[in-house]
Amino acid sequence: MTEIKDFIRRLPKAELHLHLEGTILPSTLVELSARHDARPLTLAEAEALYRFTDFTGFLEAFKAVTGQLIGAEDYELAAWRMIEHLAAQGIVHAEVFVSAGVFYHWSGHDSAVFEPIFAGLERARLRGERELGISLYWIFDAVRHFTVAEAERVFLEAAELRLAHPSIIGIGLGGDERRCGSAPFAALYEQAARAGLRLTNHAGETTGPEAIREALAIGSERIGHALSASHDFYLLQDLKEREIPLELNLTSNVRTGVCPSYAAHPLRRYFDQGLLVTLNSDDPAFFGSDLANEYLLAHTEQGFTRDELRQLAANSIRASFLPELQKTEWLFRIDAMK
Ligand code: ADE
Ligand code: ZN
């Protein structure tokens, strides 16, 4: 086991579906609370915030933790801790969701500005690049079950900040698919694409395959979760032919209860059918996992061999929004791995 763990750690990997707020550990939450609460959270209270029994409870917990991120220094601390942990796992590139949608929602007034917050994120990113050699892009994530106007604000902010910060690579939609699909965001996705932003989308996590079709119909380039595609032969064909990258999240799906077990997860079937699947950790601090552990689970729970793990790592580079030259370099390194 130590040998395969070592192989996984050394394998150059990209993480493509990771929420910044979902990487905040209870111990960091205690530190954040000490910065701005009159009566700071104890560790036990912080840990209690992370307890949930279903998907709705998870979203509530995520919102509560995000509410502890207030100033630029809070975001910088969270991002730096995240980046250190990414580098320790052998992750060479990450594309990280920032829930600007939750930030605006919490701040509660129209004049809230994200730019100073983003400066904190950029300080952490640049330090990671300099000190740890890791590259990172930001994806601004809106909450689909808030209003379309709120999502528009998030995407416009991404487009505007991108002019000075090309590290903002794209946009995404998270939240509760049972309350809102993708169609209402069609015009916003078109507008974002015209601004040069890449398009990701959570789809088919808690809803059926039609949600994935709807996400594709509005131009989504990558699909997060895509669990329910397993029920739809023609959709699987389409995803394969178009080489749509799927950002799969094993432990997340088991812990939020949308998938009954690791054995039941469609990762193995999608992989064997030749889909462009990638492994990701989604919200590792909430689910007690991380990307290296997800690779290990693919090995222990679904029998992925070393070569197949190598293929998953190569898929993560291919499916990233990195420039082609950098992709080629990483793919060469992965190929050469012993
Ligand atoms: N926000 C953070 N994690 C999420 C998930 N797994 N699904 C939807 N929205 C999210
Ligand atoms: Zn997610």
Side-chain angles (χ1 to χ4, degrees):
M1 196 60 94
T2 51
E3 202 220 340
I4 191 82
K5 281 187 181 167
D6 177 60
F7 175 76
I8 289 168
R9 210 208 65 77
R10 288 185 295 111
L11 198 52
K13 303 171 286 301
E15 170 129 26
L16 306 179
H17 191 118
L18 177 68
H19 299 262
L20 167 74
E21 301 81 358
T23 68
I24 298 172
L25 290 165
S27 52
T28 302
L29 202 67
V30 168
E31 271 179 76
L32 294 172
S33 169
R35 288 179 175 183
H36 25 71
D37 290 337
R39 196 189 69 75
L41 288 173
T42 63
L43 185 59
E45 285 167 339
E47 281 167 348
L49 275 180
Y50 289 73
R51 282 191 206 117
F52 53 90
T53 52
D54 57 16
F55 186 77
T56 304
F58 158 70
L59 284 183
E60 283 307 310
F62 183 88
K63 214 155 44 128
V65 169
T66 304
Q68 283 290 339
L69 291 172
I70 294 168
E73 289 73 27
D74 302 338
Y75 276 88
E76 184 176 358
L77 176 71
W80 176 246
R81 295 257 162 94
M82 171 189 76
I83 289 167
E84 280 185 308
H85 187 61
L86 292 174
Q89 299 170 72
I91 292 166
V92 297
H93 173 70
E95 299 180 357
V96 179
F97 294 115
V98 180
S99 288
V102 183
F103 170 83
Y104 287 134
H105 203 72
W106 270 105
S107 51
H109 50 91
D110 287 346
S111 59
V113 277
F114 200 67
E115 193 163 5
I117 299 290
F118 186 70
L121 293 177
E122 280 291 83
R123 283 195 292 276
R125 181 185 72 79
L126 290 166
R127 185 176 167 200
E129 206 170 87
R130 215 170 44 237
E131 295 180 18
L132 303 169
I134 185 168
S135 66
L136 203 135
Y137 292 155
W138 305 109
I139 298 173
F140 278 28
D141 207 28
V143 181
R144 62 182 355 113
H145 63 265
F146 296 168
T147 61
V148 172
E150 283 176 272
E152 181 171 26
R153 191 168 173 208
V154 171
F155 301 158
L156 287 176
E157 186 78 19
E160 193 173 313
L161 286 178
R162 180 181 156 73
L163 298 173
H165 303 278
S167 61
I168 300 172
I169 200 74
I171 53 143
L173 277 167
D176 197 337
E177 290 179 77
R178 297 165 301 185
R179 293 167 63 186
C180 187
S182 290
F185 304 97
L188 299 188
Y189 264 47
E190 198 184 317
Q191 199 177 5
R194 266 191 269 114
L197 292 157
R198 309 297 298 265
L199 310 176
T200 72
N201 202 341
H202 288 66
E205 180 182 19
T206 50
T207 54
E210 66 288 348
I212 301 171
R213 292 182 189 284
E214 205 175 303
L216 293 171
I218 69 163
S220 309
E221 297 174 76
R222 291 199 316 230
I223 303 292
H225 297 282
L227 259 187
S228 58
S230 61
H231 309 312
D232 187 330
F233 174 81
Y234 294 103
L235 176 59
L236 287 173
Q237 283 295 108
D238 192 31
L239 291 168
K240 180 179 174 177
E241 273 160 27
R242 294 168 61 186
E243 298 186 320
I244 302 288
L246 306 182
E247 307 153 2
L248 304 187
N249 304 278
L250 265 77
T251 300
S252 164
N253 296 156
V254 172
R255 289 278 285 108
T256 61
V258 296
C259 181
S261 67
Y262 286 106
H265 198 281
L267 163 68
R268 170 50 84 182
R269 274 208 294 137
Y270 290 178
F271 183 86
D272 288 348
Q273 287 176 28
L275 300 185
L276 184 44
V277 293
T278 65
L279 277 186
N280 303 277
S281 68
D282 203 10
D283 302 284
F286 287 74
F287 304 136
S289 190
D290 61 20
L291 187 62
N293 189 52
E294 298 298 300
Y295 274 70
L296 187 62
L297 288 165
H299 173 69
T300 56
E301 302 286 333
Q302 296 207 343
F304 277 69
T305 64
R306 267 168 90 115
D307 268 350
E308 288 173 334
L309 295 177
R310 189 200 305 273
Q311 181 64 48
L312 287 172
N315 284 357
S316 74
I317 298 294
R318 254 186 226 114
S320 75
F321 296 136
L322 281 170
E324 287 305 317
L325 186 62
Q326 280 182 50
K327 288 190 187 185
T328 306
E329 285 170 6
W330 284 123
L331 290 171
F332 183 78
R333 296 267 290 271
I334 292 170
D335 233 26
M337 270 274 297
K338 292 279 186 306

